[in-house]
Amino acid sequence: MNKTIRRVVTFTGILLVVLLLNLTWVQAIHGPDLRDHPRNFARTQLNQFGHQRGQITAGGVVLASSRLDPKTNKYHRVYNKNAEMWAPVTGYFSLYSRSGMEYFQDSILSGKDDKLFNNRIVDLFTGRDPQGGNVALTIKPAMQQAAWDALQTGVGAGPVIGGVVAIRPSTGAILALASSPSYDPPPLSSFDSTAVNNYDEQLRGMQPSPLTNRATAEPLPPGSTFKVVTTAALLRKGVNASTPVNNAPRTTLPDTVTTLENYGGEYCGGSTFAMAFAYSCNVPFAELSRRLSIKEFQQAAKAFGIGDDYDLGVSEMSSTIGDISDSAALAQSAIGQRNVALTPLQNAIIAATIANKGVRMKPYLVQAQTSQDLSTLYEAKPKELNRALSINEAKQLTDLMITAEQYAGGGNKLSVTVASKTGTAEHGSNSKNSIPYTWYIAFIPGRDVAVAVMVEGGPGVGLGSVGATV
């Protein structure tokens, strides 16, 4: 072989090696990034209809699955008959987009996750159609139904705008997560792009928006429900149930001429902290907040998780206490006003932390992930985040909340002891002319469930509505 031929063969070999390396880089290493590039979304999304996507289940109930359409030979997404009730959790899977669990658990449901690598190899060599893995949620269907029904019944005049979250204090498992109004996912899973676009535009044009998850993604002023956080901070400063308080109808904010008053400008129903908590008087909390530094107040809020992101697998927005610049701002924040904004999820976590004797658990919605053959890929384990309260402080706060439930009228309606706090939050540039946000957080001592309810508005909810009645 002469020198020229050797050079050609060598050069050809080098080119072949470079080509193989480039193919390896493009397909194996850089492939996932290229596949997930926004410009490729429509094509890759359409390709996903060519194989069976995994199921989303809760308590053994199938919420979302894939069914083969014999006309198109593609799989379309099928949702539970109560799809509207489940939509804030499952989300939707369409030609153009995804949301909720369909988005956050897409790698498992589509079969692309590294946990399913062995399954993909087996499918390749056996010629079996590829399938996605399954996702099991922590939600209890009966509790989800109860939460949804309550939002649809409202105050007896029809569906209200709001959200409900129920959580298991000892583990952090989410037991119910409902938002109203909601939407129907099936029309978004159609192969008809015109129909999908039309329905999507219809949803985005509706007010109040059915696409907003009010349980997790719309922080609003919590009103007096936030007083449990303020109380947690005050307990550490020596305040207790018998601490004397000012029962006057109004007070002047520190270093200002601005007055803050009790609801309706009324005198407080008692002269002890226990009665101020039960009657939800603003004046005592504003005045007692002077015992706290801004840092101590911020630390109390942080201990309950305010400001944290939880990565549940649904759309979320962080709760906040906002910026607190001085004592006047602290006094307003202490009653859940000014820039304080919580989601029902965060308020449920606050109630659950007190119910769990002061220990905050990490909330979670995904109980398990399984492969096509139902082998377990992942199973949730409870995770303790921090101790927000001592056992004694949690006990004191629970006792205060039991009394608050009795004074809110709940004690005459239920055969069990309930610890709760109601809230009525003013908002807007002219709060006197805006319908308040009404809240309720509660748990039953000794029972492993805590609940938060927020009603933003709707039929039967008016200017005079308060948390205790709504």
Side-chain angles (χ1 to χ4, degrees):
M1 184 181 295
N2 61 37
K3 186 181 293 184
T4 301
I5 294 175
R6 284 200 301 271
R7 286 177 177 173
V8 171
V9 170
T10 301
F11 183 68
T12 303
I14 292 172
L15 287 178
L16 182 61
V17 170
V18 171
L19 179 61
L20 289 173
L21 289 173
N22 185 62
L23 285 172
T24 301
W25 167 257
V26 170
Q27 293 186 335
I29 299 174
H30 196 44
D33 292 333
L34 292 173
R35 181 192 63 217
D36 295 334
H37 192 280
R39 292 181 180 177
N40 282 329
F41 181 77
R43 179 178 60 81
T44 56
Q45 190 81 340
L46 185 60
N47 287 340
Q48 287 194 41
F49 286 93
H51 69 269
Q52 190 168 354
R53 191 170 171 84
Q55 293 184 345
I56 302 174
T57 62
V61 176
V62 177
L63 310 181
S65 60
S66 291
R67 183 181 300 163
L68 184 64
D69 185 341
K71 294 181 180 179
T72 62
N73 202 34
K74 290 186 178 295
Y75 288 91
H76 72 278
R77 209 64 171 145
V78 178
Y79 292 93
N80 186 279
K81 64 180 181 179
N82 293 320
E84 191 175 1
M85 176 178 81
W86 293 103
V89 180
T90 62
Y92 62 85
F93 180 80
S94 80
L95 285 166
Y96 304 107
S97 61
R98 294 154 289 176
S99 71
M101 285 292 161
E102 293 279 29
Y103 173 76
F104 289 97
Q105 292 292 313
D106 180 66
S107 64
I108 290 291
L109 295 168
S110 66
K112 296 181 297 185
D113 197 277
D114 290 343
K115 298 172 188 172
L116 291 163
F117 178 77
N118 292 337
N119 297 79
R120 292 199 297 271
I121 295 298
V122 171
D123 292 342
L124 179 65
F125 282 100
T126 61
R128 184 175 62 186
D129 290 337
Q131 296 180 26
N134 305 306
V135 175
L137 306 181
T138 57
I139 290 183
K140 302 298 182 184
M143 296 184 72
Q144 181 75 2
Q145 187 73 59
W148 174 252
D149 289 347
L151 287 170
Q152 298 314 294
T153 303
V155 292
V160 293
I161 307 163
V164 177
V165 174
I167 188 170
R168 191 178 298 286
S170 66
T171 65
I174 304 295
L175 305 175
L177 195 157
S179 176
S180 175
S182 186
Y183 64 95
D184 199 24
L188 291 170
S189 65
S190 169
F191 296 143
D192 185 337
S193 59
T194 301
V196 171
N197 280 326
N198 288 342
Y199 185 56
D200 182 71
E201 289 181 10
Q202 177 187 339
L203 291 175
R204 296 184 187 281
M206 295 172 65
Q207 291 296 329
S209 173
L211 296 173
T212 299
N213 191 335
R214 288 173 172 79
T216 60
E218 190 185 43
L220 296 174
S224 292
T225 58
F226 194 78
K227 288 174 182 174
V228 300
V229 176
T230 304
T231 298
L234 290 172
L235 291 175
R236 292 185 175 175
K237 303 295 287 187
V239 173
N240 57 49
S242 59
T243 298
V245 298
N246 181 5
N247 65 350
R250 58 186 57 83
T251 188
T252 302
L253 294 175
D255 304 319
T256 73
V257 294
T258 304
T259 58
L260 182 148
E261 62 181 29
N262 296 328
Y263 180 79
E266 299 174 350
Y267 281 88
C268 190
S271 57
T272 65
F273 182 72
M275 288 298 96
F277 188 96
Y279 283 109
S280 203
C281 304
N282 293 330
V283 170
F285 277 87
E287 294 186 348
L288 287 171
S289 71
R290 300 176 189 180
R291 301 192 185 189
L292 303 172
S293 68
I294 292 174
K295 184 176 181 180
E296 287 170 333
F297 184 77
Q298 291 170 331
Q299 288 174 336
K302 183 174 177 57
F304 280 102
I306 297 171
D308 286 2
D309 294 316
Y310 296 108
D311 298 323
L312 288 179
V314 295
S315 59
E316 292 180 52
M317 286 185 65
S318 300
S319 296
T320 180
I321 59 171
D323 294 328
I324 302 175
S325 56
D326 51 35
S327 297
L330 177 58
Q332 292 171 310
S333 301
I335 62 171
Q337 293 285 173
R338 197 175 172 82
N339 296 321
V340 180
L342 304 187
T343 62
L345 169 65
Q346 178 58 60
N347 236 345
I349 291 169
I350 290 171
T353 300
I354 300 166
N356 199 37
K357 299 180 180 179
V359 176
R360 180 168 67 104
M361 304 298 291
K362 180 177 175 61
Y364 60 97
L365 254 176
V366 175
Q367 182 63 52
Q369 297 168 338
T370 59
S371 63
Q372 307 92 300
D373 60 7
L374 300 183
S375 59
T376 301
L377 303 172
Y378 161 83
E379 188 167 9
K381 294 181 180 178
K383 180 180 179 181
E384 181 179 319
L385 293 177
N386 65 288
R387 175 170 283 284
L389 296 163
S390 70
I391 294 176
N392 181 53
E393 289 165 348
K395 173 67 167 58
Q396 291 182 72
L397 196 41
T398 298
D399 290 341
L400 289 168
M401 292 175 71
I402 290 173
T403 304
E405 170 72 17
Q406 294 168 348
Y407 277 82
N412 297 325
K413 301 174 185 177
L414 302 172
S415 58
V416 293
T417 299
V418 177
S420 76
K421 187 72 190 76
T422 61
T424 307
E426 297 179 343
H427 62 94
S429 56
N430 187 350
S431 60
K432 300 298 182 183
N433 293 323
S434 60
I435 296 174
Y437 302 136
T438 54
W439 289 82
Y440 181 73
I441 61 174
F443 62 91
I444 299 174
R447 306 278 186 92
D448 206 9
V449 61
V451 178
V453 181
M454 180 277 294
V455 174
E456 186 178 337
V461 182
L463 292 175
S465 295
V466 293
T469 57
V470 174

